[in-house]
Amino acid sequence: MKGEHLTQFLIHEQRKSPAATGEFTLLLSDVATACKAIAHAVNRGALAGHLGVAGSENVQGEVQKKLDVISNDLFIRSLEWTGHLAGMASEENDQVIPIPSGYPRGKYLICFDPLDGSSNIDVNISVGTIFSILRAPDGVTQPSEQDFLQPGTQQVAAGFCVYGPSTVMVLTTGSGVNGFTLDRDVGEFILTHPNLRIPADTAEFAINMSNRRYWEEPVRRYVDECVQGKDGVREKNFNMRWVASMVAEVYRILTRGGIFLYPFDTRDPSKGGRLRLMYEANPMSFIVEQAGGLASTGRERIMEIQPHSIHQRVPVILGSKNEVERVVSYHG
Ligand code: AHG
Ligand code: MN
Ligand code: MN
């Protein structure tokens, strides 16, 4: 119900499944607490000396920003003690993150991108946190990387929080998608965007055009046809956006439709794409499909990919159903 706060919403959902123990509700509520802490750190920005680079690189050889490191620490510290998780995997950590000895283990695994859109931090453009929740295999209390390598169809929940003009949390537990706006005065996420649905048609696309010469032919054809607008085969004009924060692009698509592409490109063919399957592609695909959209690599449904490593990258094409289907058909 619009206006209820996140905990209320989660408990109402929990009551619909009589077998639920409440552990899952508590886990999501702890994730929300982590996001509030990160929202605060992002918002303080230069006042707290949070901008700029950390002077380190992550496992993927990317320069870490101070806020990447701060957000990662806040996320881990907010969740490691709760007893709801068996382990965590972060974009910023080489290995899976164990639960420290002394804390109880739970039955869930979480994969997360603590701060998405790092290139936008210093220029004050929206960034966010993305997470994906899986079940730990039966009996596993000290998960290895192997235990995390489950296809996206196995996710029990996924969500993201975008730190923009408002801080908004978007969540799916597999029955639709809901959006909650952070009310800083009361410190709660309030359900402001119930049952988000992505329109099947759109006239807005998002892609980093500077990579055009590295794309494969089907993507080049699709984008060229959009750019030709009324004068081309599509016979309608398209608009383009590129925020360079996936959280902001997906939120826009949930709000007014659109298609987002970070396709395979030939800059480094061994990478298979720019975005990470476990921290970005899977959770966003779950959300987009739950809102009536589609998510594909161009050749297969993202959520059906069997992961081979936690830091694996994949091509991502997601959003309004009819446009994604068109791009997939061009890969035919
Ligand atoms: P991250 O900051 O977690 O590394 O992710 C940034 C991602 C994604 O959010 C965005 O769509 C894309 O990288 C931007 O890439 P380009 O800079 O190549 O446009
Ligand atoms: Mn990211
Ligand atoms: Mn990141």
Side-chain angles (χ1 to χ4, degrees):
M1 207 199 346
K2 210 166 177 170
E4 64 185 358
H5 59 70
L6 181 64
T7 314
Q8 254 179 319
F9 171 85
L10 292 171
I11 289 174
H12 285 149
E13 289 294 298
Q14 183 192 320
R15 286 178 186 154
K16 291 181 193 162
S17 32
T21 59
E23 187 174 348
F24 182 59
T25 298
L26 289 169
L27 171 59
L28 289 175
S29 163
D30 290 330
V31 170
T33 303
C35 291
K36 283 188 236 176
I38 299 171
H40 181 66
V42 167
N43 188 255
R44 292 284 294 156
L47 296 174
H50 285 167
L51 304 189
V53 296
S56 48
E57 279 187 1
N58 66 13
V59 54
Q60 310 169 49
E62 297 164 334
V63 173
Q64 287 180 306
K65 297 289 179 70
K66 279 187 199 163
L67 271 170
D68 283 323
V69 175
I70 293 168
S71 306
N72 197 39
D73 287 347
L74 285 170
F75 204 92
I76 296 169
R77 296 290 100 79
S78 302
L79 289 163
E80 63 183 3
W81 64 274
T82 61
H84 311 312
L85 293 170
M88 302 181 253
S90 165
E91 179 185 285
E92 302 298 340
N93 292 60
D94 192 352
Q95 311 284 333
V96 302
I97 307 159
I99 301 302
S101 58
Y103 293 131
R105 310 291 151 101
K107 59 182 179 217
Y108 296 104
L109 303 175
I110 194 162
C111 302
F112 60 97
D113 176 356
L115 204 62
D116 175 66
S118 320
S119 73
N120 284 325
I121 297 169
D122 297 345
V123 292
N124 202 26
I125 293 174
S126 300
V127 291
T129 300
I130 312 173
F131 61 91
S132 158
I133 297 172
L134 297 160
R135 240 179 271 282
D138 273 346
V140 170
T141 53
Q142 280 178 326
S144 64
E145 173 165 353
Q146 193 58 41
D147 296 315
F148 283 82
L149 303 181
Q150 307 177 30
T153 50
Q154 297 298 308
Q155 292 172 103
V156 290
F160 67 87
C161 193
V162 53
Y163 314 118
S166 309
T167 290
V168 176
M169 164 98 81
V170 170
L171 187 65
T172 186
T173 55
S175 51
V177 180
N178 291 284
F180 303 81
T181 305
L182 180 60
D183 183 335
R184 285 175 192 269
D185 292 336
V186 288
E188 292 275 9
F189 283 100
I190 310 294
L191 181 58
T192 46
H193 295 71
N195 193 25
L196 287 159
R197 302 294 301 168
I198 301 173
D201 289 300
T202 181
E204 197 162 61
F205 67 99
I207 192 164
N208 184 337
M209 282 293 276
S210 68
N211 296 323
R212 185 183 179 284
R213 69 189 186 283
Y214 303 114
W215 301 336
E216 294 183 304
E217 187 45 39
V219 169
R220 217 178 287 178
R221 172 181 170 196
Y222 174 75
V223 174
D224 287 352
E225 287 177 0
C226 292
V227 172
Q228 282 151 15
K230 262 193 154 138
D231 302 332
V233 294
R234 298 300 306 270
E235 296 176 335
K236 70 172 189 181
N237 289 332
F238 282 76
N239 196 3
M240 198 200 87
R241 287 287 184 276
W242 186 250
V243 186
S245 286
M246 192 189 197
V247 283
E249 324 266 14
V250 173
Y251 190 68
R252 183 186 63 248
I253 290 171
L254 287 165
T255 310
R256 65 179 188 207
I259 180 170
F260 167 91
L261 305 95
Y262 214 121
F264 174 80
D265 68 47
T266 56
R267 277 175 297 174
D268 181 353
S270 69
K271 281 195 176 150
R274 164 83 171 86
L275 298 173
R276 282 132 300 209
L277 177 59
M278 307 296 288
Y279 320 113
E280 295 167 324
N282 269 340
M284 291 311 204
S285 297
F286 191 19
I287 291 163
V288 165
E289 287 195 8
Q290 282 294 318
L294 286 180
S296 169
T297 63
R299 298 189 166 85
E300 63 186 318
R301 183 177 170 219
I302 288 174
M303 288 212 287
E304 286 174 7
I305 298 173
Q306 173 57 53
H308 55 72
S309 109
I310 51 169
H311 296 300
Q312 176 177 351
R313 297 174 189 253
V314 291
V316 174
I317 299 162
L318 59 74
S320 291
K321 183 171 174 287
N322 291 341
E323 292 301 304
V324 176
E325 276 175 352
R326 176 181 282 267
V327 184
V328 169
S329 77
Y330 288 2
H331 284 76

